[in-house]
Amino acid sequence: MKIGIVGARGLSAVQGFKSLPGTEVVALCDLDEAYLKEAAEANGIPRTYRVYEDMLESDIDAVVVSTPMQLHVPQSIQALHAGKHVLCEVTAGVTMDELWWLKETVEETGLTYMLAENYCYIPQNQMILKMVKQGLFGDVYFGEGEYIHDIRELAYRYNRDVGVVQEGAKPTWRKYWQLGKRGAYYPTHSLGPVMQWFQGDRIRSVSCYGTGWNTDPRFRQEDTTITVLKMASGKLIKLRLDCISKRPHNMTYYSLQGTKGCYEAPRGFGDDHKIWIEGPEGEQPGEKRWRPLSDFSEYMPERYRNLTEEQKKAGHWGSDFFIAQDFVRAVNGECKPAIDVYDACEWTAVALLSELSVMNGGREMEMPDFRGAATFADQIIKL
């Protein structure tokens, strides 16, 4: 399988594909010609392109779309119409219309589309998923996800020689498409793992609230937003997004509550993954004590326990290898995409609906049923 990557930030996927037999990254496309050639040489990629359409006309089988988020849908659709399978970085798109176009194109072409949400592949998140599937938490009814990452400096071009943003620097796409938006503009890192724990449930509505602008008035994005998702089952998911506040990174916090147990990720500074499951040995009646998640290491999926050193180098806790592996398996017809176009559209739509909600005082916004409605017109008739 021959892979082409558009957007040099997608180089994190290279090592994952290199670790898979019969798979090769043969092409890299980027507008920055000097960096393009430098990156291709450093990663052993034989062909380079500055024009995306030229790469699509080559003999590649699949495209990794890792350009700025406002390009994801146009470039994914172009690839699909060119007969190429697509692995797309997050988020899937930036408008609701785009999500319908994407869904309809994937269904029309019959090609593989997968969202590359690597936080779903964090080892502990995969452990919890396995435990959910085996019923250890009972009936899961509440989950949380948080993404706290001060990215204000990424909104402006920085001097690569000194690694800092200098006075008068020009804005990047993030100034507009991320920090220029309101609501939970970047929800999939915090939402994806929790949605997988809510097996088969779907989001019914979205409500979002913001703190206002206390830290940096240059941006439309508020310091913190809290987004509440009501599920079709009536259960709840709470998301916190904060990319403005001055504080250390805490990019991966999750919690889960079920009728028989609960889980909390660490919040940093020496904290650890912890879990409580009803009725363990040594616990007195009525007593409830946290245990380290590592006590349940037998629930770590087997492929995580058998990672080779080469596969571990793929990055993001080894997730970049597993994403590549799952994508190749889906293209080969061995399984369905781990995060398919319907998941991609629903998770991304949280961003778009949260913006409408927060601009209307937290008003509850109904989530379209991307999986149940064949087209946008069908969804309108249903409403």
Side-chain angles (χ1 to χ4, degrees):
M1 185 182 298
K2 296 179 181 179
I3 308 292
I5 297 175
V6 57
R9 73 182 291 266
L11 291 173
S12 61
V14 171
Q15 187 59 45
F17 286 114
K18 281 184 175 180
S19 304
L20 290 167
T23 305
E24 182 183 6
V25 178
V26 300
L28 180 64
C29 178
D30 199 279
L31 289 173
D32 186 335
E33 188 170 15
Y35 181 60
L36 171 65
K37 292 180 177 178
E38 175 189 322
E41 183 176 346
N43 289 275
I45 301 173
R47 305 200 301 258
T48 60
Y49 299 87
R50 291 191 70 239
V51 178
Y52 180 54
E53 289 79 3
D54 290 347
M55 187 175 77
L56 291 181
E57 290 178 3
S58 71
D59 62 348
I60 59 173
D61 302 296
V63 175
V64 178
V65 177
S66 53
T67 45
M69 58 201 293
Q70 72 271 21
L71 302 177
H72 287 180
V73 165
Q75 291 181 332
S76 293
I77 288 178
Q78 279 184 283
L80 292 164
H81 282 309
K84 318 299 182 184
H85 304 281
V86 173
L87 177 65
C88 184
E89 288 280 2
V90 299
T91 58
V94 294
T95 72
M96 197 67 78
D97 280 337
E98 283 190 335
L99 299 183
W100 286 102
W101 298 337
L102 177 65
K103 164 200 144 64
E104 291 162 9
T105 304
V106 172
E107 292 175 342
E108 174 190 336
T109 61
L111 294 168
T112 297
Y113 173 94
M114 180 171 150
L115 190 70
E117 177 43 77
N118 52 16
Y119 280 50
C120 291
Y121 288 85
I122 294 174
Q124 292 84 0
N125 290 345
Q126 288 289 310
M127 277 184 69
I128 297 300
L129 177 59
K130 187 171 181 179
M131 297 172 79
V132 167
K133 288 180 176 179
Q134 297 193 16
L136 270 73
F137 291 95
D139 185 18
V140 170
Y141 58 86
F142 177 74
E144 292 178 284
E146 294 185 358
Y147 185 75
I148 302 175
H149 183 194
D150 181 3
I151 66 164
R152 287 173 298 144
E153 68 175 18
L154 297 180
Y156 296 91
R157 298 191 185 280
Y158 65 94
N159 187 320
R160 283 168 52 182
D161 295 330
V162 296
V164 298
V165 176
Q166 295 180 316
E167 187 175 353
K170 294 180 179 179
T172 69
W173 63 274
R174 295 178 190 269
K175 169 73 161 57
Y176 305 101
W177 289 102
Q178 291 190 333
L179 301 187
K181 305 291 286 181
R182 293 189 65 188
Y185 74 89
Y186 197 59
T188 65
H189 284 341
S190 51
L191 175 61
V194 183
M195 282 297 293
Q196 290 189 328
W197 299 340
F198 277 64
Q199 293 280 289
D201 211 342
R202 61 171 294 270
I203 301 166
R204 189 177 75 199
S205 65
V206 176
S207 300
C208 183
Y209 307 87
T211 59
W213 299 267
N214 306 282
T215 301
D216 198 328
R218 292 177 299 172
F219 304 111
R220 190 168 292 146
Q221 175 68 200
E222 298 172 67
D223 301 70
T224 287
T225 60
I226 298 296
T227 303
V228 178
L229 311 179
K230 191 80 165 179
M231 309 302 287
S233 62
K235 301 168 183 179
L236 290 179
I237 294 176
K238 184 185 82 173
L239 307 177
R240 178 185 176 188
L241 175 72
D242 189 328
C243 293
I244 299 288
S245 297
K246 301 174 182 178
R247 54 173 293 157
H249 290 185
N250 187 35
M251 292 188 284
T252 57
Y253 175 77
Y254 304 97
S255 78
L256 186 68
Q257 182 66 55
T259 55
K260 294 182 179 179
C262 53
Y263 160 73
E264 287 195 7
R267 289 188 178 272
F269 204 60
D271 195 9
D272 198 0
H273 297 269
K274 50 192 175 292
I275 190 169
W276 174 77
I277 299 295
E278 188 175 45
E281 292 183 14
E283 190 170 271
Q284 300 299 316
E287 183 182 23
K288 297 180 179 63
R289 290 185 290 109
W290 289 112
R291 296 173 63 184
L293 183 61
S294 57
D295 284 358
F296 297 81
S297 59
E298 68 270 23
Y299 291 99
M300 181 67 74
E302 185 176 352
R303 65 177 179 168
Y304 280 78
R305 288 184 264 140
N306 297 327
L307 264 180
T308 67
E309 289 304 314
E310 182 185 22
Q311 292 163 354
K312 289 178 183 177
K313 293 177 183 177
H316 291 100
W317 320 278
S319 67
D320 290 331
F321 167 73
F322 293 122
I323 286 176
Q325 184 183 56
D326 284 355
F327 177 64
V328 170
R329 285 177 174 174
V331 170
N332 289 334
E334 299 172 32
C335 60
K336 295 181 179 180
I339 307 170
D340 63 19
V341 70
Y342 308 107
D343 294 328
C345 290
E346 184 172 320
W347 300 358
T348 297
V350 168
L352 310 177
L353 296 176
S354 71
E355 183 174 34
L356 293 175
S357 175
V358 77
M359 292 173 68
N360 287 275
R363 179 180 173 183
E364 189 174 27
M365 309 302 295
E366 185 174 353
M367 173 67 70
D369 184 359
F370 293 99
R371 198 177 298 269
T375 66
F376 174 72
D378 291 335
Q379 177 70 22
I380 295 298
I381 292 171
K382 179 181 175 182
L383 295 175

